[in-house]
Amino acid sequence: MLARIKEFLGMEAKPKEEASQQEVEKVAEEEKAKPRIGYIHLSGCTGDAMSLTENYDILAPLLTEMVDIVYGQTLADVWWDDENPMPEMDLALVEGSVCLQDEHSMKELLEVREKAGLVVAFGSCAATGCFTRYSRGGQQANPRHESFVPVADVVKVDLAMPGCPPSPEIIAKTVVAVINGDMDYLQPMMDLVGYTEACGCDLQLKVVNQALCIGCGTCAMSCPTRAVGMTDGRPELNEDRCVKCGICYTQCPRSWWPAERINMDLGL
Amino acid sequence: MVLGTYKQITLGRSTDKQIQKISQDGGIATGLLCFALDEKIIDGAVVAGPSDEMWKPKATVALTSDEILAAAGTKYTLSPNNWALKEAVRQYGLEKAGIVTIPCQTMGLRKMQSYPFGVRFMADKIALDVGIFCTENFSFESLRTFITAKAGVDFDLVEKMDIGNGKFWVHTQDDVINFPIKETHGYEQSGCKVCLDLVSELSDISTGSIGAPDDWSAVMTRTETGDTIFKQAVDAGAIELKPMDEGKFGLEMLTKLAKSKKEKAMKEIDRRKELGLPVPYKASSEKEDPLANV
Ligand SMILES: Cc1cc2nc3c(=O)[nH]c(=O)nc-3n(C[C@H](O)[C@H](O)[C@H](O)COP(=O)(O)OP(=O)(O)OC[C@H]3O[C@@H](n4cnc5c(N)ncnc54)[C@H](O)[C@@H]3O)c2cc1C
Ligand code: SF4
Ligand code: SF4
Ligand code: SF4
């Protein structure tokens, strides 16, 4: 399975015989300890879950053979209420920001923190608040709901995976890293936990203003809403289009620089 | 290793007479992309093409050899090629995109491929990245200012610009003017001051003029992909080779300049760290090889 995921990701394929041998050992190992995963859906649009399921090639074996989905409304039909306590989880993916006025969401999030070994802010709504930052209440179904914040504002988060939505590829790469215990790959996601106040204007404040911009255009390439253009070699933000997902700054080569990983991925 | 990891280092040039005529150096960038397009290794390429304004490049998706040729020649100002990759993949539907990038653009691409947080189905669409050498880059207004003020040449009359032998060269139809490269200092964009990469260490194939005689290019193949495509192009006769001089005007010079760029950048990185200013790279004291691009 692992070989299949790696192949899917274009990682180096192992010699065939060795691969199958290792695969067997790996699966045997996994039988003992399949990670227990939960999916918690707060104020998000289900885009993150959709993106996860877009890993068609690996999804079925991933969900059935490699991990146990023990909690979640979309991926496993398990709800938490007074009669059914929330199960223990090794890892909980939290999609969506949390609404401070929504008692149920708050209660679920706090419980998840209790029950899960690792809490992942999965997608930009959970990580940075993303477009829910614009909420001002006064809408149906509950006009009182107006304060949506990144989950790290309320509980301790271990990993953040911004993206509106996160790409299917980063999800698959992260799954592989978690299964392999590849902490180096996960390090940037630990660092991104602190990046909760994101905005397209970060390009100006944290890159251009800091004499670091080199006009490469990676920010404009990455923005999912095309809020960033390039004018005279510098990013120009159309604020009306910005959903505050933080992806432009996250992808900028001048925000953080994973040199070792890149060399490894390129075989250099 | 101040030149990054490479498989082969050589001099090379395109064998195509037309490319030789219009290209900046040996026409490796244009020649390789055209070859890759003909061989269907790529189905289009992102290049710094012409815009409405002389010498102001526009990051462009080229679908034909003619469009690749139209982008030949170095424009010493910003062309956000990574931005146009989105157009190439989303609008033009390229499955195997070629792209020309200066080192810092290569870095943005490679980071996206290793950590494609918010970028869907783009990482696997880059079939060939030709990296070109770069010492520094200039905003369009900076370029215009020193061409018109220092060289005293009307921008519209300039046919070619080049950096070499410590000088900035401006070619017009009937004149070649030069001034010491030192005089451009103060005009370069400040982001370049912390740049540790002269030779596009992370590209598939990198090429530039340093270490090569006129009309030839220095070439380094780096990744498997790059090495394979380059060999194919040579075997097919699209590119001819000659060995690189090991000495003062060849490898030695390239190594020296790559090293001095890194040393200068490290000074600035360390200075910024001391001041508490952000910078994505490690301080000299934090890394094993103080000149590595980390
Ligand atoms: C800003 C800048 C600084 C450079 N500094 C050096 C240097 O110090 N030493 C050195 O040896 N070489 C340097 N080069 C590279 C060199 O000038 C040539 O571009 C390189 O040798 C390729 O030559 P060629 O004949 O193979 O390319 P050609 O066949 O002429 O093609 C050139 C290619 O470069 C691309 N290009 C042109 N301008 C830009 C731009 N601004 N940004 C991104 N892509 C562009 C075009 O798309 C085209 O495909 C620099 C290039 C740039 C853009
Ligand atoms: S500019 Fe685009 S990428 Fe950046 S935060 Fe806004 S929406 Fe996200
Ligand atoms: S991605 Fe490139 S162009 Fe955008 S802010 Fe960062 S350095 Fe500047
Ligand atoms: S010197 Fe470095 S940062 Fe500046 S333009 Fe060249 S590659 Fe980019």
Side-chain angles (χ1 to χ4, degrees), chain A residues 1-13 51-59 62 167-173 175-176, chain B residues 121 124:
Chain A
M1 181 57 216
L2 197 65
R4 242 171 97 189
I5 296 186
K6 285 189 172 166
E7 194 185 61
F8 170 74
L9 294 172
M11 291 180 178
E12 211 171 303
S51 196
L52 183 135
T53 60
E54 269 184 85
N55 285 297
Y56 307 114
D57 300 20
I58 58 167
L59 190 70
L62 174 72
S167 69
E169 298 104 303
I170 191 83
I171 298 170
K173 278 168 175 279
V175 168
V176 173
Chain B
F121 303 133
D124 58 336

Side-chain angles (χ1 to χ4, degrees), chain A residues 214 254, chain B residues 102-104 134-137 189 191-192 195 197 261:
Chain A
I214 28 78
R254 288 297 174 86
Chain B
I102 47 177
C104 56
C134 180
T135 319
E136 59 199 346
N137 206 346
Q189 65 175 349
C192 296
C195 176
D197 188 356
K261 176 171 176 178

Side-chain angles (χ1 to χ4, degrees), chain B residues 1-6 201 220 251 255 262 289 291-293:
Chain B
M1 182 56 191
V2 296
L3 299 179
T5 309
Y6 58 83
E201 295 176 22
M220 278 175 269
L251 192 57
T255 310
K262 282 171 181 285
D289 171 3
L291 298 182
N293 185 20

Side-chain angles (χ1 to χ4, degrees), chain B residues 185-198:
Chain B
H185 290 177
Y187 287 99
E188 73 280 13
Q189 65 175 349
S190 48
C192 296
K193 290 187 180 158
V194 295
C195 176
L196 290 157
D197 188 356
L198 172 77

Side-chain angles (χ1 to χ4, degrees), chain A residues 51 54 160-170 173 184-186 188-189 192 206 210-218 220-224 226 228-230 232-234 247 249-263 265-268, chain B residues 5-7 56 78-83 85-87 90-91 102 104-124 137 139-140 189-192 194-195 201-204 222-224 272 277-282 293-294:
Chain A
S51 196
E54 269 184 85
M161 194 194 289
C164 182
S167 69
E169 298 104 303
I170 191 83
K173 278 168 175 279
D184 290 341
Y185 190 74
L186 302 178
M189 295 181 220
L192 283 167
K206 299 183 181 185
Q210 296 294 342
L212 289 172
C213 182
I214 28 78
C216 64
T218 310
M221 171 189 74
S222 314
C223 174
R226 301 188 185 226
V228 185
M230 296 293 297
D232 292 327
R234 292 291 176 263
I247 281 305
Y249 180 68
T250 302
Q251 302 288 166
C252 169
R254 288 297 174 86
S255 56
W256 52 281
W257 177 235
E260 283 94 353
R261 171 63 51 167
I262 290 172
N263 278 300
D265 286 352
L266 292 172
L268 296 176
Chain B
T5 309
Y6 58 83
K7 296 195 192 304
K56 188 174 203 169
L78 309 160
S79 174
N81 288 0
N82 291 4
W83 182 29
L85 185 65
K86 182 175 199 143
E87 204 185 340
R90 300 275 190 266
Q91 261 95 330
I102 47 177
C104 56
Q105 297 175 334
T106 316
M107 289 164 77
L109 287 186
R110 296 312 193 195
K111 177 173 162 180
M112 180 272 286
Q113 289 181 303
S114 285
Y115 284 97
F117 276 109
V119 187
R120 295 162 60 82
F121 303 133
M122 190 102 78
D124 58 336
N137 206 346
S139 74
F140 188 65
Q189 65 175 349
S190 48
C192 296
V194 295
C195 176
E201 295 176 22
L202 301 173
S203 59
D204 290 317
R222 298 185 181 280
T223 62
E224 275 307 327
R272 286 184 64 107
L277 291 169
V279 58
Y281 312 114
K282 290 179 177 158
N293 185 20
V294 297

Side-chain angles (χ1 to χ4, degrees), chain B residues 66-81:
Chain B
D66 283 347
E67 287 166 323
I68 294 172
L69 288 170
T74 302
K75 279 70 84 177
Y76 288 94
T77 184
L78 309 160
S79 174
N81 288 0

